[in-house]
Amino acid sequence: MSNRATAAEASVRANRVIPPAGPQRVLALAQLSNSVGDGAYYVTSALYFTHVVGLAPARVGLGLTIAWAVGSVAGVPLGRLADRRGPRGTAVLLALATSTAVASFLVVRGFVPFVLAACAYATAQSGLAAARQALLAGLVSRQERTGLLAHLQSTLNAGLAVGAGLGGLALNAGSRVAYLGVFALDAASFLLCAAVLLRLPAVDGTHTRNGTHARVEVDQGPGRDGAGRGDASGVLRDRPYAVVTLLNTVLLLRMPLLSLGIPLWIAERTAAPTWTVSALFVLNTGAVMLFQVRTARGVTGTASATRAVRRSGLVMLASCAVFALSAGVSPWTAVGVLAVGAVLQVVAEMQQSAGSWQLSFDLAPPDRVGEYQGFFGTGVTVARTLGPLVLTALLVGWGTPGWLLLGALTLAASYAMGPAVRWAAKSRGAEGQGTGSRGTDPFGGPAPEPTLKRPVPVN
């Protein structure tokens, strides 16, 4: 009996990190397969492009800015393609396109080829993210989506950590062959991702494909009858959703903190040793791996999602204030203060992530999830593009006032999210918010279950 109890406890602990068997676990495996390659790519790409390709750092920055700008524009039409042609096939093709784009970096030796390859990479990545979200929406019920996204975020961080370790070995070797090996690994990881995605059942909002039916019949509500689906500006006409996306983009300015803002702050404004940067990165990655699923568990509807975003703004303001205190103190005091700030920052990050995931799905029309997710995902691209400029000006240029301004900006955006969500809910034809409990549609009434039939089991 005790052995059974022990096995049951172990199963419960595993489910906190590993999603349930079936499509959810396959999606996590696909996430893990390419995140390992991405982790190695992230830590080596800057030196590869400057030392191996031979580009000046300023040109690398310019090329990547152009690429992500192109990728942000391409996300919406590629998301719409996933809605029309089926998200699984679209995701597989975009994973293959990403692999090809990464492989092309192995042979580029000039600025123009580099920009073209980077544009292809950013476009494929943006489209792949949108197609994956549409695929998730077709395979998983509304009540399970945020929990699964939390699992995927934990999986992503685990893969990035492993990949970063492999990239560190390449950095230590410092040879051209080592760098080329990293890019070959990343290209291979997206091939593996495509193969894993093929194990999922086909999903389509309006058609039957390969004998697998996946129709979602949900009342669209006034103004969401699918009109304008062929119009490139369709999602932009949904002004409430655009405002929610804009506010989320402001909250995502915290994304470059660990990779740029805090390292520059530590180097320029504190007496903390440089290894603190690596320690804070490990702290953040480990916390997300262990606690993101638990943090997302209480987010089940728009009401609870809005509360989570609001709490994240308060915690982020406290984090910014603590980070500001690390200047002008002894090295070890600075390390301790930075660690406290990093803990608060990762708590805010997990709360904001869980809330924004829920909102991005619940406020989108069921038959246009790919298009809307492509648009919502542009916030990440904008944050990656503008974040370095904003953080450098605020933190390095202004110091303590810059930290406080960043915290106040985050707090204002998090509190503005509530009215924006209510506006979006009203525009969708709902008179009020649901309780946010499981089994309840966040816009009131019982949650509709997708009529998805899977005649072929997923191994």
Side-chain angles (χ1 to χ4, degrees):
M1 193 70 178
S2 60
N3 290 337
R4 291 181 180 178
T6 302
E9 291 174 1
S11 177
V12 170
R13 286 195 297 270
N15 286 334
R16 292 175 182 172
V17 180
I18 304 173
Q24 297 192 37
R25 190 168 294 177
V26 176
L27 284 168
L29 181 59
Q31 180 80 286
L32 178 65
S33 63
N34 74 259
S35 63
V36 172
D38 274 346
Y41 168 86
Y42 291 149
V43 299
T44 60
S45 58
L47 292 180
Y48 173 79
F49 293 135
T50 54
H51 293 178
V52 177
V53 179
L55 299 174
R59 286 202 144 195
V60 172
L62 175 61
L64 293 178
T65 298
I66 294 172
W68 284 112
V70 172
S72 67
V73 174
V76 174
L78 288 174
R80 188 179 297 118
L81 178 66
D83 290 332
R84 290 181 173 180
R85 301 299 183 185
R88 188 191 68 168
T90 304
V92 169
L93 289 176
L94 288 170
L96 295 174
T98 306
S99 175
T100 303
V102 173
S104 69
F105 284 129
L106 296 171
V107 296
V108 299
R109 291 296 179 269
F111 178 67
V112 173
F114 162 71
V115 172
L116 294 176
C119 286
Y121 172 78
T123 297
Q125 281 276 53
S126 298
L128 178 58
R132 274 176 159 172
Q133 299 291 65
L135 183 58
L136 181 150
L139 292 172
V140 180
S141 67
R142 175 176 292 181
Q143 291 73 36
E144 297 175 300
R145 289 175 190 168
T146 298
L148 175 56
L149 283 166
H151 280 297
L152 295 180
Q153 186 74 358
S154 297
T155 303
L156 171 66
N157 277 264
L160 290 176
V162 173
L166 296 175
L169 295 177
L171 290 175
N172 185 59
S175 66
R176 181 175 180 273
V177 173
Y179 284 118
L180 293 177
V182 166
F183 278 73
L185 171 66
D186 195 22
S189 75
F190 280 97
L191 289 178
L192 179 59
C193 173
V196 173
L197 289 172
L198 282 173
R199 297 177 58 191
L200 291 166
V203 174
D204 191 277
T206 57
H207 299 90
T208 301
R209 294 181 182 274
N210 301 326
T212 301
H213 300 275
R215 271 177 38 206
V216 181
E217 299 174 353
V218 183
D219 181 15
Q220 300 288 330
R224 302 252 187 155
D225 58 358
R229 188 183 303 176
D231 185 353
S233 63
V235 66
L236 295 176
R237 292 182 178 179
D238 191 340
R239 288 179 292 176
Y241 195 89
V243 171
V244 170
T245 300
L246 176 62
L247 293 173
N248 189 64
T249 301
V250 174
L251 298 175
L252 289 174
L253 289 176
R254 49 90 182 156
M255 289 185 65
L257 266 180
L258 279 178
S259 61
L260 181 68
I262 291 176
L264 289 177
W265 171 259
I266 290 174
E268 300 292 333
R269 295 277 188 161
T270 78
T274 54
W275 55 258
T276 309
V277 174
S278 177
L280 296 182
F281 180 84
V282 171
L283 187 155
N284 179 278
T285 304
V288 173
M289 287 172 56
L290 295 174
F291 300 111
Q292 181 68 79
V293 174
R294 184 177 301 178
T295 302
R297 198 167 291 154
V299 179
T300 57
T302 54
S304 55
T306 303
R307 288 193 297 270
V309 171
R310 189 164 54 239
R311 286 195 301 268
S312 75
L314 287 168
V315 177
M316 191 64 195
L317 175 62
S319 172
C320 290
V322 171
F323 277 131
L325 295 175
S326 62
V329 296
S330 66
W332 286 109
T333 301
V335 170
V337 173
L338 289 166
V340 174
V343 169
L344 292 171
Q345 186 271 328
V346 74
V347 170
E349 174 186 334
M350 291 187 290
Q351 291 176 332
Q352 185 267 329
S353 295
S356 65
W357 294 332
Q358 187 78 30
L359 295 174
S360 70
F361 278 108
D362 283 355
L363 299 177
D367 65 335
R368 299 171 67 189
V369 173
E371 177 186 350
Y372 271 62
Q373 287 298 316
F375 179 70
F376 197 80
T378 60
V380 175
T381 305
V382 173
R384 284 175 173 171
T385 304
L386 298 182
L389 300 175
V390 173
L391 294 181
T392 301
L394 289 179
L395 307 186
V396 179
W398 291 19
T400 297
W403 275 114
L404 298 179
L405 181 57
L406 177 63
L409 183 65
T410 302
L411 182 66
S414 68
Y415 268 76
M417 189 67 82
V421 169
R422 287 192 292 272
W423 181 25
K426 184 178 180 181
S427 74
R428 192 175 167 180
E431 294 298 326
Q433 304 271 338
T435 62
S437 60
R438 293 192 183 275
T440 303
D441 178 29
F443 299 103
E449 290 293 330
T451 59
L452 178 68
K453 303 176 183 178
R454 304 186 186 93
V456 181
V458 180
N459 296 322

